[in-house]
Amino acid sequence: MPSIFQAGIFNIPGNTRLALTEGGQLKADGRQNNTNIFARAWDCLTRSSEKVEANKAVARQFVAEIREKYGDGVADMASRELKSHLDKGRPLTAHRVSCVLKNADDAANLTWLRDQNLTRVEIRDVRAQFSRDELTLLREGHVSIDVGRQYKEREIPIHPRTLVAYCRDENVVEGSKKELRGGAVSKPYEVQYRHGDQLDTMVFKEARLGEGHGAAATALGIDPHSCMAVRNIATKVVDEALGFNLVPDTRIGMLDGQLGMVMGFATGAPATKQRMVDVTDSSQGQMVLKEQHSLNPEELKDLLDMGGLRIEGDRVFKSESVQVQHDYRDPGLRRELVKLQLLDALTAQGDRHGGNFVIQRGEGGRFTGLSAIDNDQAFGSRIEDPRQLLGDSACRCVDLPPVVDEGIKAAFANLSDDQLRRDLTGLLPKDEIDAAVARLQVIKEYLAGGPPPMVLTGENPDWGSEAVGRALSDPATSYVGRELSRFEGLNTMSYEEAEA
């Protein structure tokens, strides 16, 4: 059955008449004269029997689709609204279709709310709090109004990209929930969700207002009371628009009745890893053991956080940054890091460091992929040029990369301002979208104006060459160079050890 609901009804003038093609698809069929009553009367009197029957067919098709989507009750209501179209062959216009669909959504939403045992007063309050479109999305996504209230409380936009899908409590594999390290307020968990015939291993972190808002977010101009989790989804949207495939599956989900951010579990090893070193016998460790009983819990927490320390029983451990041994001469790794650098420039990522991207290897230790995680410190309204963040101590940023290839350059050339706006609308505030569009223009101009950057050509650009290695060696302009520079001041760890 052709879909009236996917025919772009809301994007054409309301006085456009509709007809069906031989293939059963909607098409424009002239304009309805809404202002001249005599012209409309004349049109009615002179309408041929063939046109009358064709108009009836359009109306019947519309009602049939409403019946299939909303059920008999809503379809019967629509039939009453369209009586003259069904009985007399009055032409159906885009405006009339729009009105009937809005009424259909209102009726279906009301039934949905009643089915959740809401009182008349509660239904009135819900309709005041949620828009028609929001209620429709929740209903069609089979998300309860109680969960919908969590969206409002946590300021997560109700949007097709944020609707809870299969990552729900009823799909959690029993015994799969495991607490992960990290999370000052809400803990991250590894958890498995059933997804059809497969099991997806994900990382869940409850979404809370203001959580994760730090110095980088302030520098970016992000509201300190906003929900940072949504920025992970916005980053995934931009990653998809560029076709970079750097960000794991990112969505909103549920765990233990709470709404949160869910991201595909990234296997492999980061560039930099934290490990705990036993410092009990050091002067610092002995001082902590001595002071812990004289400090209140908050003072003790501040002391431990300041030193990157943790007490386990009678032992004191200190967090130590270790550089994982990766081959930064690998052409695939170099290219993916440049892609990540440009994705971060477009999203104004203010906190990209060696611990929040993960590198995968396959047989023989060969590079196979890179995943960007923890993408919430991004966007904001202040940064219209990614280079504005250079030198800001609150952010971990580098300049635009000195090397790209034709494919990377084309990815930006093919991303229009309008597409970026459409993709981000409803996820981020307008001023933050405006800033992202401005950054897109800066990056496009940079890529078009080289050298720099050096543009590698051909079907198999030589990312492994010495010339590319020299160009990417500067830690101020390259993620590759920045990671290489860290080997000078940190201890190292093998990939296998870090992965384990």
Side-chain angles (χ1 to χ4, degrees):
M1 179 179 288
S3 178
I4 283 178
F5 303 103
Q6 298 176 4
I9 290 297
F10 300 103
N11 297 322
I12 62 177
N15 63 345
T16 301
R17 292 176 175 177
L18 303 175
L20 292 174
T21 66
E22 290 183 2
Q25 300 296 317
L26 280 180
K27 68 174 183 178
D29 188 33
R31 297 291 178 86
Q32 173 82 11
N33 192 324
N34 290 322
T35 57
N36 190 326
I37 189 172
F38 298 106
R40 293 179 64 181
W42 179 253
D43 175 72
C44 181
L45 290 170
T46 59
R47 193 175 297 143
S48 68
S49 59
E50 291 82 4
K51 177 57 78 174
V52 168
E53 291 305 315
N55 289 343
K56 289 181 180 179
V58 174
R60 287 195 298 268
Q61 178 74 14
F62 184 32
V63 172
E65 290 209 22
I66 288 179
R67 192 175 305 279
E68 182 177 294
K69 181 173 182 179
Y70 295 96
D72 291 339
V74 176
D76 291 344
M77 179 194 72
S79 295
R80 292 191 293 271
E81 290 186 53
L82 298 172
K83 182 175 176 57
S84 63
H85 302 79
L86 292 164
D87 294 347
K88 299 180 180 180
R90 181 180 173 185
L92 189 63
T93 64
H95 171 71
R96 177 56 55 193
V97 168
S98 175
C99 290
V100 172
L101 288 179
K102 288 176 181 177
N103 291 337
D105 279 333
D106 284 340
N109 291 342
L110 178 59
T111 300
W112 171 69
L113 291 172
R114 286 172 174 166
D115 288 344
Q116 295 177 76
N117 299 317
L118 269 66
T119 66
R120 292 177 63 182
V121 172
E122 289 172 329
I123 289 173
R124 182 194 64 196
D125 292 343
V126 164
R127 285 181 149 180
Q129 185 181 13
F130 295 82
S131 71
R132 174 193 294 117
D133 289 343
E134 288 174 332
L135 289 174
T136 299
L137 281 171
L138 292 173
R139 171 177 56 79
E140 292 182 345
H142 306 287
V143 178
S144 72
I145 197 62
D146 286 339
V147 175
R149 290 190 179 103
Q150 286 197 46
Y151 276 86
K152 290 292 185 179
E153 292 164 0
R154 300 164 195 254
E155 295 190 9
I156 299 173
I158 299 171
H159 181 278
R161 292 297 298 243
T162 66
L163 282 182
V164 175
Y166 71 91
C167 294
R168 302 171 181 239
D169 284 316
E170 57 265 33
N171 292 326
V172 172
V173 176
E174 186 176 355
S176 68
K177 176 183 169 184
K178 302 174 185 176
E179 185 175 316
L180 300 173
R181 288 186 180 178
V185 180
S186 65
K187 289 288 185 182
Y189 294 92
E190 177 186 338
V191 61
Q192 283 189 323
Y193 292 94
R194 296 182 188 87
H195 185 196
D197 295 332
Q198 66 186 37
L199 300 180
D200 287 354
T201 302
M202 313 290 279
V203 175
F204 174 92
K205 188 173 184 180
E206 185 181 343
R208 298 186 181 184
L209 279 181
E211 181 175 310
H213 190 286
T218 300
L220 295 171
I222 297 173
D223 183 345
H225 302 293
S226 66
C227 180
M228 301 296 289
V230 180
R231 298 171 188 279
N232 288 283
I233 295 174
T235 301
K236 176 62 176 177
V237 166
V238 176
D239 178 54
E240 289 177 354
L242 290 168
F244 279 2
N245 195 30
L246 293 170
V247 180
D249 181 21
T250 307
R251 57 181 66 237
I252 297 297
M254 302 286 295
L255 184 64
D256 296 334
Q258 302 303 311
L259 206 59
M261 193 275 295
V262 182
M263 177 176 280
F265 190 87
T267 59
T272 305
K273 192 173 180 69
Q274 298 298 119
R275 69 178 175 190
M276 302 306 294
V277 179
D278 191 331
V279 294
T280 306
D281 297 330
S282 70
S283 59
Q284 186 180 35
Q286 289 299 306
M287 181 271 292
V288 169
L289 291 175
K290 180 180 178 181
E291 295 290 335
Q292 65 173 320
H293 301 295
S294 61
L295 299 175
N296 64 46
E298 186 173 335
E299 291 173 333
L300 179 60
K301 181 179 181 302
D302 289 342
L303 176 64
L304 295 176
D305 289 346
M306 187 181 304
L309 302 169
R310 187 170 78 234
I311 299 176
E312 293 184 5
D314 60 353
R315 310 302 294 177
V316 180
F317 295 87
K318 183 172 184 176
S319 178
E320 174 188 65
S321 292
V322 180
Q323 197 70 5
V324 180
Q325 295 169 353
H326 294 291
D327 183 5
Y328 291 96
R329 298 167 300 178
D330 186 287
L333 177 54
R334 286 178 175 178
R335 186 174 193 266
E336 294 302 285
L337 282 172
V338 168
K339 285 165 56 180
L340 178 60
Q341 191 174 333
L342 283 167
L343 173 65
D344 288 347
L346 179 53
T347 61
Q349 171 57 244
D351 192 35
R352 182 68 63 203
H353 53 79
N356 60 20
F357 63 88
V358 181
I359 297 168
Q360 292 93 34
R361 296 188 196 176
E363 292 184 9
R366 294 287 295 175
F367 170 81
T368 58
L370 182 148
S371 299
I373 61 175
D374 296 342
N375 300 305
D376 52 0
Q377 305 291 309
F379 297 99
S381 59
R382 290 182 183 171
I383 309 303
E384 296 186 348
D385 182 331
R387 290 169 291 201
Q388 286 177 248
L389 290 171
L390 296 178
D392 191 321
S393 60
C395 299
R396 313 183 202 218
C397 302
V398 301
D399 205 340
L400 296 173
V403 184
V404 296
D405 61 31
E406 290 177 317
I408 294 174
K409 187 175 178 180
F412 279 90
N414 293 334
L415 178 57
S416 68
D417 294 0
D418 288 343
Q419 181 187 344
L420 186 60
R421 285 188 187 279
R422 284 195 306 271
D423 289 349
L424 294 176
T425 294
L427 293 173
L428 297 174
K430 181 180 181 301
D431 57 352
E432 295 195 35
I433 297 174
D434 290 342
V437 170
R439 292 192 298 272
L440 175 61
Q441 288 304 312
V442 170
I443 294 171
K444 283 185 174 182
E445 290 171 7
Y446 172 74
L447 295 177
M454 175 198 308
V455 180
L456 305 179
T457 60
E459 292 185 7
N460 297 298
D462 190 3
W463 280 93
S465 71
E466 291 184 7
V468 170
R470 287 193 296 272
L472 295 177
S473 65
D474 186 350
T477 63
S478 165
Y479 280 178
V480 173
R482 187 173 70 176
E483 295 310 316
L484 284 170
S485 71
R486 297 185 190 280
F487 281 99
E488 300 172 4
L490 296 178
N491 293 323
T492 62
M493 174 187 294
S494 72
Y495 176 89
E496 292 74 18
E497 183 183 358
E499 185 180 32

